[in-house]
Coordinates of all heavy atoms in Angstrom, one line a residue:
M1 N 5.6 -51.9 -7.0 CA 4.5 -51.0 -6.8 C 4.9 -49.8 -6.0 O 4.5 -48.7 -6.3 CB 3.4 -51.8 -6.1 CG 2.1 -51.1 -5.9 SD 1.3 -50.8 -7.5 CE -0.2 -50.3 -7.0
I2 N 5.6 -50.0 -4.9 CA 6.1 -48.9 -4.0 C 7.1 -48.0 -4.8 O 7.0 -46.8 -4.7 CB 6.7 -49.4 -2.8 CG1 5.7 -50.2 -1.9 CG2 7.4 -48.3 -2.0 CD1 6.2 -50.8 -0.7
V3 N 7.9 -48.7 -5.6 CA 8.9 -47.9 -6.4 C 8.1 -47.0 -7.4 O 8.5 -45.8 -7.6 CB 9.9 -48.9 -7.2 CG1 10.7 -48.1 -8.1 CG2 10.7 -49.7 -6.2
L4 N 7.1 -47.5 -8.0 CA 6.3 -46.7 -9.0 C 5.6 -45.5 -8.2 O 5.6 -44.4 -8.8 CB 5.3 -47.6 -9.6 CG 4.4 -46.9 -10.7 CD1 5.3 -46.5 -11.8 CD2 3.3 -47.9 -11.2
A5 N 5.1 -45.7 -7.0 CA 4.5 -44.7 -6.3 C 5.5 -43.6 -5.9 O 5.2 -42.4 -6.0 CB 3.8 -45.2 -5.0
L6 N 6.7 -44.0 -5.5 CA 7.8 -43.1 -5.1 C 8.2 -42.3 -6.3 O 8.4 -41.1 -6.3 CB 9.0 -43.8 -4.5 CG 8.8 -44.3 -3.1 CD1 10.0 -45.2 -2.6 CD2 8.5 -43.2 -2.1
R7 N 8.3 -42.9 -7.5 CA 8.7 -42.2 -8.7 C 7.6 -41.2 -9.1 O 8.0 -40.0 -9.5 CB 8.9 -43.2 -9.9 CG 10.2 -43.9 -9.8 CD 10.4 -44.8 -11.0 NE 11.6 -45.6 -10.8 CZ 12.0 -46.6 -11.6 NH1 11.2 -46.9 -12.6 NH2 13.1 -47.2 -11.4
F8 N 6.4 -41.5 -9.0 CA 5.3 -40.6 -9.2 C 5.3 -39.4 -8.3 O 5.2 -38.3 -8.7 CB 4.0 -41.3 -9.1 CG 2.8 -40.4 -9.3 CD1 2.4 -39.9 -10.6 CD2 2.0 -39.9 -8.3 CE1 1.4 -39.1 -10.8 CE2 1.0 -39.1 -8.5 CZ 0.6 -38.6 -9.7
L9 N 5.6 -39.7 -7.0 CA 5.7 -38.6 -6.0 C 6.8 -37.7 -6.3 O 6.7 -36.4 -6.2 CB 5.8 -39.2 -4.6 CG 5.9 -38.3 -3.4 CD1 4.6 -37.5 -3.3 CD2 6.2 -39.0 -2.2
I10 N 8.0 -38.2 -6.7 CA 9.1 -37.4 -7.0 C 8.8 -36.5 -8.2 O 9.2 -35.3 -8.2 CB 10.4 -38.3 -7.2 CG1 10.8 -38.8 -5.9 CG2 11.5 -37.4 -7.8 CD1 11.9 -39.9 -5.9
V11 N 8.3 -37.1 -9.3 CA 7.9 -36.4 -10.5 C 6.9 -35.2 -10.1 O 7.0 -34.1 -10.6 CB 7.4 -37.3 -11.6 CG1 6.8 -36.5 -12.7 CG2 8.5 -38.2 -12.1
A12 N 5.9 -35.5 -9.3 CA 4.9 -34.5 -9.0 C 5.6 -33.4 -8.2 O 5.2 -32.2 -8.4 CB 3.8 -35.2 -8.1
L13 N 6.5 -33.7 -7.2 CA 7.2 -32.7 -6.5 C 8.0 -31.8 -7.4 O 8.1 -30.6 -7.2 CB 8.0 -33.3 -5.3 CG 7.1 -33.8 -4.2 CD1 8.1 -34.6 -3.2 CD2 6.3 -32.8 -3.5
I14 N 8.7 -32.4 -8.3 CA 9.6 -31.6 -9.2 C 8.7 -30.7 -10.1 O 9.0 -29.6 -10.3 CB 10.5 -32.6 -10.1 CG1 11.5 -33.2 -9.2 CG2 11.1 -31.8 -11.2 CD1 12.3 -34.3 -9.9
A15 N 7.6 -31.3 -10.6 CA 6.7 -30.4 -11.5 C 6.1 -29.2 -10.7 O 6.1 -28.1 -11.2 CB 5.6 -31.3 -12.0
R16 N 5.8 -29.5 -9.4 CA 5.2 -28.4 -8.6 C 6.3 -27.3 -8.4 O 6.0 -26.1 -8.4 CB 4.7 -29.0 -7.3 CG 4.1 -27.9 -6.4 CD 3.5 -28.6 -5.2 NE 3.0 -27.5 -4.3 CZ 2.7 -27.7 -3.0 NH1 3.0 -28.8 -2.5 NH2 2.2 -26.7 -2.4
S17 N 7.5 -27.7 -8.1 CA 8.6 -26.8 -7.8 C 8.9 -26.0 -9.1 O 9.1 -24.8 -9.0 CB 9.9 -27.6 -7.4 OG 9.7 -28.3 -6.2
L18 N 8.9 -26.6 -10.2 CA 9.2 -25.9 -11.5 C 8.0 -24.9 -11.8 O 8.3 -23.8 -12.3 CB 9.3 -26.9 -12.7 CG 10.6 -27.7 -12.6 CD1 10.6 -28.7 -13.7 CD2 11.9 -26.8 -12.7
L19 N 6.8 -25.3 -11.5 CA 5.7 -24.4 -11.7 C 5.8 -23.1 -10.8 O 5.6 -22.0 -11.2 CB 4.4 -25.1 -11.4 CG 3.1 -24.3 -11.7 CD1 3.0 -23.8 -13.1 CD2 1.9 -25.1 -11.3
K20 N 6.2 -23.3 -9.5 CA 6.4 -22.2 -8.6 C 7.5 -21.3 -9.1 O 7.5 -20.1 -9.0 CB 6.6 -22.7 -7.2 CG 5.4 -23.2 -6.4 CD 5.7 -23.5 -5.0 CE 4.4 -23.7 -4.3 NZ 4.7 -23.8 -2.8
L21 N 8.6 -21.9 -9.6 CA 9.7 -21.2 -10.1 C 9.3 -20.3 -11.3 O 9.6 -19.1 -11.3 CB 10.8 -22.1 -10.5 CG 12.1 -21.5 -11.1 CD1 12.7 -20.5 -10.1 CD2 13.0 -22.5 -11.6
A22 N 8.5 -20.9 -12.2 CA 8.0 -20.1 -13.4 C 7.1 -19.0 -12.9 O 7.2 -17.9 -13.5 CB 7.3 -21.1 -14.3
R23 N 6.3 -19.2 -12.0 CA 5.4 -18.1 -11.5 C 6.2 -17.0 -10.9 O 5.9 -15.8 -11.0 CB 4.4 -18.6 -10.5 CG 3.3 -19.4 -11.1 CD 2.3 -19.9 -10.1 NE 1.2 -20.7 -10.7 CZ 0.4 -21.5 -10.1 NH1 0.5 -21.7 -8.8 NH2 -0.5 -22.2 -10.7
G24 N 7.2 -17.3 -10.1 CA 8.1 -16.4 -9.5 C 8.8 -15.5 -10.5 O 8.9 -14.3 -10.3
I25 N 9.3 -16.2 -11.5 CA 10.0 -15.4 -12.6 C 9.0 -14.5 -13.3 O 9.4 -13.3 -13.6 CB 10.7 -16.4 -13.5 CG1 11.8 -17.1 -12.9 CG2 11.1 -15.7 -14.8 CD1 12.4 -18.3 -13.7
A26 N 7.8 -15.0 -13.6 CA 6.9 -14.1 -14.2 C 6.5 -12.9 -13.4 O 6.4 -11.8 -13.8 CB 5.6 -14.9 -14.5
E27 N 6.4 -13.1 -12.1 CA 6.1 -11.9 -11.2 C 7.3 -11.0 -11.1 O 7.1 -9.8 -11.1 CB 5.8 -12.4 -9.7 CG 4.4 -13.1 -9.6 CD 4.2 -13.6 -8.2 OE1 4.8 -13.1 -7.2 OE2 3.3 -14.5 -8.0
G28 N 8.5 -11.5 -11.2 CA 9.7 -10.6 -11.2 C 9.7 -9.8 -12.5 O 10.1 -8.6 -12.4
W29 N 9.3 -10.3 -13.6 CA 9.3 -9.5 -14.8 C 8.3 -8.4 -14.8 O 8.5 -7.4 -15.4 CB 9.1 -10.4 -16.0 CG 10.3 -11.1 -16.5 CD1 11.6 -10.8 -16.2 CD2 10.3 -12.3 -17.3 NE1 12.4 -11.7 -16.8 CE2 11.7 -12.6 -17.5 CE3 9.4 -13.2 -17.8 CZ2 12.1 -13.7 -18.2 CZ3 9.8 -14.2 -18.5 CH2 11.1 -14.6 -18.7
R30 N 7.1 -8.7 -14.2 CA 6.1 -7.7 -14.1 C 6.5 -6.5 -13.2 O 6.0 -5.4 -13.3 CB 4.8 -8.3 -13.6 CG 4.0 -9.1 -14.6 CD 2.7 -9.4 -14.1 NE 2.7 -10.3 -13.0 CZ 2.4 -11.6 -13.0 NH1 2.1 -12.2 -14.1 NH2 2.5 -12.3 -11.9
G31 N 7.3 -6.7 -12.3 CA 7.8 -5.7 -11.3 C 6.8 -5.7 -10.1 O 5.9 -6.5 -10.0
P32 N 7.2 -4.9 -9.1 CA 6.4 -4.9 -7.9 C 5.0 -4.3 -8.1 O 4.8 -3.4 -8.9 CB 7.2 -3.9 -7.0 CG 8.0 -3.1 -7.9 CD 8.3 -3.9 -9.1
A33 N 4.1 -4.9 -7.4 CA 2.7 -4.4 -7.5 C 2.6 -3.0 -6.9 O 3.2 -2.7 -5.8 CB 1.7 -5.4 -6.8
A34 N 1.8 -2.1 -7.5 CA 1.6 -0.8 -7.0 C 0.8 -0.9 -5.7 O -0.2 -1.6 -5.7 CB 0.9 0.1 -8.0
P35 N 1.1 -0.1 -4.7 CA 0.3 -0.1 -3.5 C -1.1 0.5 -3.8 O -1.2 1.5 -4.6 CB 1.0 0.8 -2.5 CG 2.0 1.6 -3.3 CD 2.3 0.8 -4.6
R36 N -2.1 -0.1 -3.3 CA -3.5 0.3 -3.6 C -4.1 1.0 -2.4 O -4.0 0.6 -1.2 CB -4.3 -0.9 -4.0 CG -3.8 -1.5 -5.2 CD -4.7 -2.7 -5.7 NE -6.0 -2.1 -6.0 CZ -7.0 -2.9 -6.2 NH1 -7.0 -4.1 -6.1 NH2 -8.2 -2.3 -6.5
T37 N -4.8 2.1 -2.7 CA -5.6 2.7 -1.6 C -6.9 2.1 -1.6 O -7.5 1.8 -2.6 CB -5.8 4.3 -2.0 OG1 -4.5 4.9 -2.1 CG2 -6.5 5.0 -0.9
P38 N -7.5 1.7 -0.4 CA -8.8 1.1 -0.4 C -9.8 2.0 -1.0 O -9.8 3.2 -0.8 CB -9.0 1.0 1.1 CG -7.7 1.0 1.8 CD -6.8 1.9 0.9
Q39 N -10.7 1.4 -1.8 CA -11.7 2.1 -2.5 C -12.7 2.7 -1.5 O -13.0 2.0 -0.5 CB -12.4 1.3 -3.6 CG -11.5 0.9 -4.7 CD -12.2 0.1 -5.8 OE1 -13.3 -0.3 -5.6 NE2 -11.5 -0.1 -6.9
G40 N -13.2 3.9 -1.8 CA -14.2 4.4 -0.9 C -13.6 5.2 0.3 O -14.4 5.7 1.1
M41 N -12.3 5.3 0.4 CA -11.7 6.1 1.4 C -11.7 7.6 1.1 O -11.3 8.0 0.0 CB -10.2 5.7 1.6 CG -9.6 6.4 2.8 SD -7.9 5.7 3.1 CE -8.4 4.2 3.9
A42 N -12.3 8.4 2.0 CA -12.5 9.8 1.7 C -11.1 10.5 1.9 O -10.4 10.2 2.9 CB -13.5 10.4 2.7
L43 N -10.8 11.4 1.1 CA -9.6 12.2 1.2 C -10.0 13.6 1.5 O -11.1 14.1 1.1 CB -8.8 12.2 -0.1 CG -8.3 10.9 -0.6 CD1 -7.6 11.0 -1.9 CD2 -7.3 10.3 0.4
V44 N -9.2 14.4 2.2 CA -9.4 15.8 2.4 C -8.3 16.6 1.9 O -7.1 16.1 1.8 CB -9.6 16.1 4.0 CG1 -10.9 15.4 4.5 CG2 -8.4 15.6 4.8
R45 N -8.5 17.8 1.6 CA -7.5 18.7 1.0 C -6.8 19.6 2.1 O -7.4 20.2 2.9 CB -8.1 19.6 0.0 CG -7.1 20.3 -0.9 CD -7.8 20.9 -2.0 NE -6.8 21.4 -3.0 CZ -7.1 21.9 -4.1 NH1 -8.3 22.1 -4.5 NH2 -6.1 22.3 -4.9
D46 N -5.5 19.6 2.0 CA -4.7 20.4 2.9 C -4.9 21.9 2.5 O -4.8 22.3 1.4 CB -3.2 20.1 2.7 CG -2.2 20.8 3.6 OD1 -2.4 22.0 3.8 OD2 -1.3 20.3 4.0
P47 N -5.4 22.7 3.5 CA -5.7 24.1 3.1 C -4.5 25.0 2.8 O -4.7 26.1 2.2 CB -6.4 24.6 4.4 CG -5.9 23.7 5.5 CD -5.6 22.4 4.9
V48 N -3.3 24.5 3.0 CA -2.1 25.4 2.7 C -1.6 25.1 1.3 O -1.5 25.9 0.5 CB -1.0 25.2 3.8 CG1 0.2 26.0 3.4 CG2 -1.5 25.6 5.2
C49 N -1.2 23.8 1.1 CA -0.6 23.4 -0.2 C -1.6 22.8 -1.2 O -1.2 22.6 -2.4 CB 0.6 22.6 0.0 SG 0.2 20.9 0.7
G50 N -2.7 22.3 -0.7 CA -3.7 21.7 -1.6 C -3.5 20.2 -1.9 O -4.2 19.6 -2.6
T51 N -2.6 19.6 -1.1 CA -2.4 18.1 -1.3 C -3.6 17.4 -0.6 O -4.0 17.8 0.4 CB -1.1 17.7 -0.5 OG1 0.0 18.5 -1.1 CG2 -0.8 16.2 -0.7
Y52 N -4.0 16.3 -1.3 CA -5.1 15.5 -0.7 C -4.4 14.4 0.2 O -3.5 13.8 -0.1 CB -5.8 14.8 -1.8 CG -6.8 15.7 -2.5 CD1 -6.3 16.3 -3.7 CD2 -8.0 16.0 -2.0 CE1 -7.2 17.2 -4.4 CE2 -8.8 16.9 -2.7 CZ -8.4 17.5 -3.9 OH -9.2 18.4 -4.5
V53 N -5.0 14.3 1.4 CA -4.4 13.4 2.4 C -5.6 12.5 3.0 O -6.7 12.9 2.9 CB -3.8 14.2 3.6 CG1 -2.5 14.9 3.1 CG2 -4.7 15.2 4.3
V54 N -5.2 11.4 3.6 CA -6.1 10.5 4.3 C -6.3 11.0 5.7 O -5.3 11.2 6.4 CB -5.6 9.1 4.3 CG1 -6.5 8.1 5.0 CG2 -5.4 8.6 2.8
P55 N -7.5 11.4 6.2 CA -7.6 11.9 7.5 C -7.1 11.1 8.6 O -6.5 11.6 9.6 CB -9.1 12.1 7.6 CG -9.7 12.1 6.3 CD -8.8 11.3 5.4
A56 N -7.1 9.8 8.5 CA -6.6 8.9 9.6 C -5.1 9.0 9.7 O -4.6 8.7 10.8 CB -7.0 7.4 9.3
T57 N -4.4 9.3 8.7 CA -2.9 9.4 8.8 C -2.3 10.8 8.8 O -1.2 11.0 8.9 CB -2.3 8.5 7.7 OG1 -2.7 9.1 6.4 CG2 -2.7 7.1 7.8
A58 N -3.2 11.8 8.6 CA -2.8 13.2 8.4 C -2.6 13.9 9.7 O -3.2 13.5 10.8 CB -3.7 14.0 7.5
L59 N -1.8 14.9 9.8 CA -1.7 15.8 11.0 C -3.0 16.6 11.0 O -3.5 17.0 9.9 CB -0.5 16.7 10.8 CG 0.8 15.9 10.8 CD1 1.9 16.9 10.5 CD2 1.1 15.2 12.1
S60 N -3.5 17.0 12.2 CA -4.7 17.7 12.2 C -4.6 18.9 13.2 O -3.7 18.9 14.0 CB -5.9 16.8 12.6 OG -5.7 16.3 13.9
S61 N -5.5 19.8 13.1 CA -5.6 20.9 14.0 C -7.1 21.2 14.1 O -7.8 21.3 13.1 CB -4.9 22.1 13.4 OG -5.0 23.3 14.2
G62 N -7.6 21.4 15.3 CA -9.0 21.7 15.5 C -9.8 20.4 15.9 O -9.3 19.3 15.9
I63 N -11.1 20.7 16.3 CA -11.9 19.6 16.7 C -13.2 19.6 15.9 O -13.8 20.7 15.6 CB -12.2 19.7 18.2 CG1 -10.9 19.6 19.0 CG2 -13.1 18.6 18.7 CD1 -11.0 19.9 20.5
G64 N -13.8 18.4 15.7 CA -15.1 18.3 15.0 C -15.1 18.9 13.7 O -14.2 18.7 12.8
A65 N -16.2 19.7 13.4 CA -16.3 20.4 12.1 C -15.2 21.4 11.8 O -14.9 21.7 10.7 CB -17.7 21.0 12.0
Q66 N -14.6 21.9 12.9 CA -13.5 22.9 12.7 C -12.1 22.2 12.4 O -11.1 22.9 12.3 CB -13.4 23.8 14.0 CG -14.6 24.5 14.3 CD -15.0 25.5 13.1 OE1 -14.2 26.0 12.5 NE2 -16.4 25.6 13.0
A67 N -12.1 20.9 12.4 CA -10.8 20.2 12.1 C -10.3 20.5 10.7 O -11.0 20.5 9.7 CB -11.0 18.7 12.4
R68 N -9.0 20.7 10.7 CA -8.3 20.8 9.4 C -7.2 19.8 9.4 O -6.5 19.5 10.4 CB -7.6 22.2 9.3 CG -8.6 23.4 9.4 CD -9.4 23.5 8.1 NE -10.3 24.6 8.2 CZ -11.6 24.5 8.2 NH1 -12.2 23.3 8.2 NH2 -12.4 25.6 8.3
F69 N -6.9 19.2 8.2 CA -5.9 18.1 8.1 C -4.8 18.6 7.2 O -5.0 19.3 6.2 CB -6.6 16.9 7.5 CG -7.7 16.4 8.4 CD1 -9.0 16.7 8.2 CD2 -7.4 15.5 9.4 CE1 -10.0 16.2 9.0 CE2 -8.3 15.0 10.3 CZ -9.7 15.4 10.1
F70 N -3.6 18.3 7.6 CA -2.4 18.8 6.9 C -1.5 17.6 6.5 O -1.4 16.6 7.1 CB -1.6 19.7 7.8 CG -2.5 20.8 8.3 CD1 -3.1 20.8 9.5 CD2 -2.6 22.0 7.5 CE1 -3.9 21.8 10.0 CE2 -3.4 23.0 7.9 CZ -4.1 22.9 9.2
C71 N -0.7 17.8 5.4 CA 0.2 16.8 4.9 C 1.5 16.8 5.7 O 2.1 15.7 5.7 CB 0.5 17.0 3.4 SG 1.3 18.5 3.0
S72 N 1.9 17.9 6.3 CA 3.2 18.0 7.0 C 3.0 19.0 8.1 O 2.1 19.8 8.2 CB 4.3 18.4 6.1 OG 4.1 19.7 5.6
E73 N 4.0 18.9 9.0 CA 4.2 19.8 10.1 C 4.3 21.3 9.6 O 3.8 22.2 10.2 CB 5.3 19.4 11.1 CG 5.4 20.3 12.3 CD 4.2 20.2 13.2 OE1 3.6 19.2 13.3 OE2 3.8 21.3 13.7
N74 N 5.1 21.4 8.5 CA 5.3 22.7 7.9 C 4.0 23.4 7.5 O 3.7 24.6 7.7 CB 6.3 22.7 6.7 CG 7.7 22.4 7.2 OD1 8.0 22.6 8.3 ND2 8.5 21.9 6.2
C75 N 3.1 22.6 6.9 CA 1.8 23.2 6.5 C 0.9 23.5 7.7 O 0.3 24.5 7.7 CB 1.1 22.2 5.5 SG 1.8 22.1 3.9
R76 N 1.0 22.7 8.7 CA 0.2 22.9 9.9 C 0.7 24.2 10.6 O -0.1 25.1 11.0 CB 0.2 21.8 10.8 CG -0.6 22.0 12.1 CD -0.9 20.8 12.9 NE 0.3 20.1 13.4 CZ 0.3 19.1 14.2 NH1 -0.9 18.6 14.6 NH2 1.4 18.5 14.6
R77 N 2.0 24.4 10.6 CA 2.6 25.6 11.3 C 2.2 26.8 10.5 O 1.9 27.9 11.0 CB 4.1 25.4 11.3 CG 4.8 26.5 12.2 CD 6.3 26.2 12.3 NE 6.6 24.9 12.8 CZ 7.3 24.0 12.1 NH1 7.9 24.3 10.9 NH2 7.6 22.8 12.6
A78 N 2.3 26.8 9.1 CA 2.0 27.9 8.2 C 0.6 28.3 8.5 O 0.2 29.5 8.5 CB 2.3 27.6 6.8
Y79 N -0.3 27.3 8.6 CA -1.8 27.6 8.7 C -2.0 28.3 10.1 O -2.8 29.3 10.2 CB -2.6 26.3 8.6 CG -4.0 26.5 8.7 CD1 -4.7 27.0 7.6 CD2 -4.7 26.3 9.9 CE1 -6.1 27.2 7.7 CE2 -6.1 26.4 9.9 CZ -6.8 26.9 8.8 OH -8.2 27.1 8.9
T80 N -1.3 27.8 11.1 CA -1.5 28.3 12.5 C -1.0 29.8 12.5 O -1.6 30.6 13.1 CB -0.7 27.5 13.5 OG1 -1.2 26.1 13.4 CG2 -1.0 28.0 14.9
L81 N 0.2 30.0 11.9 CA 0.7 31.4 11.9 C -0.2 32.3 11.1 O -0.4 33.5 11.4 CB 2.1 31.4 11.2 CG 3.2 30.7 12.0 CD1 4.5 30.7 11.2 CD2 3.4 31.5 13.4
K82 N -0.8 31.8 10.0 CA -1.7 32.6 9.2 C -3.0 33.0 10.0 O -3.4 34.1 9.9 CB -2.2 31.8 8.0 CG -3.0 32.6 7.0 CD -3.4 31.7 5.8 CE -4.5 32.3 5.0 NZ -4.9 31.5 3.9
L83 N -3.5 32.1 10.8 CA -4.6 32.4 11.7 C -4.3 33.4 12.8 O -5.1 34.2 13.2 CB -5.2 31.1 12.3 CG -5.9 30.2 11.4 CD1 -6.4 29.0 12.2 CD2 -7.1 30.9 10.8
A84 N -3.1 33.3 13.3 CA -2.6 34.2 14.4 C -2.4 35.7 13.9 O -2.5 36.6 14.7 CB -1.3 33.7 15.0
Q85 N -2.3 35.9 12.6 CA -2.1 37.2 12.1 C -3.3 38.0 12.0 O -4.4 37.7 11.9 CB -1.4 37.2 10.8 CG 0.0 36.7 10.9 CD 0.7 36.7 9.5 OE1 0.0 36.9 8.5 NE2 1.9 36.3 9.5

């Protein structure tokens, strides 16, 4: 009786391992999953180059309603120089 239970346990563990291996191979063939942007996240447009950026991760200049968001330090610098002229 114990021998039969041990055999069943070994077969179940082997089957589970093979199933996990098959799933891993299938995921490898599909390739890496594309990163997803959370739905409903508002994007703002860089006033210099027109790139859309996420405000939480973008560089900014100004406060409140006067805030401008930039994709890079170069765009922020160009905007600042344009305002100074």
Side-chain angles (χ1 to χ4, degrees):
M1 185 70 168
I2 295 176
V3 173
L4 183 62
L6 286 175
R7 286 184 183 171
F8 177 76
L9 181 63
I10 290 172
V11 169
L13 290 174
I14 291 172
R16 183 176 179 199
S17 298
L18 290 174
L19 183 61
K20 284 188 171 190
L21 177 64
R23 286 181 182 163
I25 291 171
E27 286 179 21
W29 279 339
R30 281 193 297 254
R36 297 184 64 190
T37 303
Q39 292 183 354
M41 182 174 286
L43 299 176
V44 294
R45 194 169 186 176
D46 183 319
V48 176
C49 67
T51 302
Y52 286 95
V53 296
V54 178
T57 60
L59 298 172
S60 63
S61 177
I63 299 173
Q66 301 298 325
R68 301 285 183 249
F69 298 95
F70 304 96
C71 65
S72 67
E73 183 61 39
N74 290 339
C75 284
R76 181 165 61 176
R77 190 177 308 120
Y79 185 79
T80 305
L81 289 174
K82 182 180 170 185
L83 286 180
Q85 292 177 353

